[in-house]
Amino acid sequence: MAGRTRPPDAVVEQRRQDVLRQVIEHGEVRITDLAERFEVSLMTMHRDLDALVDRRLVRKLRGRVTAYPSLTLETATRFRVGLQVAEKEALADAAAVEVQPGMTLLVDDSSTVFPLARRIAEVAALRVFTNSLTVAQILAGAGHEVGLLGGRYRAEFDSCTGPEVLKALDGLHADVSFVSAAAVTEGHLFHPVRDYAEIKQRIVGRATRNVLLVDHSKFGKSAPFAHGDVGAYDLVVTDAAAPAAELEAIRGLDTGVRVVPIPGLAATTDPDRGTDARS
């Protein structure tokens, strides 16, 4: 009897990315639970996990698997783009109103700003500076003037870092900057990679108005490299699942907060949500 047909490589890779997201979200998961959740044999799940282990994305323990390390995973572009998609789209809608025709913008390489780049592509006559090849391609493809902040190209993030990027930023001034963060705790911002932490902090000093986009999954986390706090920003745009204590910490630093609903989440009665609010 003929054996079962193996799924296409694209299907297998998508399942592995879904498995990775599950591990990231829960921190540690039993391998048998993963096999049951994704409706595959234990042998198939071990093959999937072995492939992720080979990429240094997870660690297999006795019957369990953990992310390795979770925050670093969230910075890898090929995995970031598939996380919190609905939230990122909602943040993009809320932040796009900050952009007017003819503005000069600074945009970092965070996957959170990719949907925003697609929204503002429709705004006329923008000049945009970015270290992200993805952002550059989106906006240049729409006919905007784009300055790519070049330096060391890091393929895993599809963006540039290094002293060349920092030096280029020192010579720029923008109307608005858009940045995200890998981790936020009590208003303090962190990133697992020093080069990116330095770029984010430098961008904030080069714009008249600074906007931080961060979905709820980034709150209450930390990473090795700090890049200031939300007090350097004029506005934080987040979603309705953000912890109340973290929102209060932001307001306590005299920073505006715009909290937006996301599909499938019940509306809140907090009168500050959905508006710019200062403590």
Side-chain angles (χ1 to χ4, degrees), residues 49-275:
L49 294 173
D50 287 342
L52 296 175
V53 168
D54 289 343
R55 302 181 209 174
R56 292 182 59 82
L57 298 173
V58 299
R59 288 179 293 190
K60 286 175 68 177
L61 308 172
R62 288 189 176 182
R64 296 170 290 126
V65 60
T66 64
Y68 176 75
S70 62
L71 279 171
T72 300
L73 294 176
E74 291 175 1
T75 65
T77 298
R78 65 188 182 276
F79 295 107
R80 287 184 299 160
V81 294
L83 299 174
Q84 278 72 51
V85 174
E87 290 88 338
K88 291 173 182 176
E89 295 290 340
L91 300 190
D93 287 337
V97 300
E98 300 291 322
V99 180
Q100 300 298 322
M103 279 186 166
T104 297
L105 308 177
L106 275 170
V107 182
D108 84 340
D109 75 310
S110 305
S111 67
T112 302
V113 305
F114 295 169
L116 174 65
R118 291 190 287 270
R119 302 293 195 285
I120 64 177
E122 301 176 2
V123 180
L126 298 177
R127 176 180 293 179
V128 181
F129 294 93
T130 182
N131 65 320
S132 166
L133 270 70
T134 300
V135 171
Q137 290 169 349
I138 291 170
L139 292 168
H144 295 291
E145 180 180 346
V146 175
L148 182 61
L149 304 175
R152 174 193 172 194
Y153 175 67
R154 303 184 66 148
E156 69 273 35
F157 307 130
D158 197 31
S159 60
C160 298
T161 66
E164 299 90 347
V165 175
L166 298 176
K167 183 177 180 180
L169 284 168
D170 284 340
L172 297 176
H173 180 76
D175 297 299
V176 185
S177 76
F178 294 99
V179 174
S180 188
V184 187
T185 297
E186 297 180 349
H188 298 282
L189 309 174
F190 304 92
H191 199 279
V193 182
R194 183 193 298 275
D195 286 352
Y196 287 100
E198 291 176 347
I199 289 171
K200 290 172 187 292
Q201 193 157 22
R202 192 69 58 91
I203 285 175
V204 175
R206 309 312 306 170
T208 299
R209 182 166 171 81
N210 297 283
V211 180
L212 180 73
L213 291 80
V214 57
D215 71 72
H216 70 273
S217 70
K218 307 299 178 63
F219 287 106
K221 294 182 178 180
S222 185
F225 302 105
H227 54 100
D229 60 49
V230 298
Y233 293 83
D234 300 279
L235 176 66
V236 173
V237 183
T238 189
D239 62 76
E246 294 287 353
L247 297 182
E248 286 307 309
I250 294 170
R251 294 179 180 123
L253 290 168
D254 198 32
T255 296
V257 181
R258 185 175 299 160
V259 184
V260 299
I262 54 177
L265 189 66
T268 176
T269 57
D270 184 342
D272 286 339
R273 293 180 183 259
T275 64

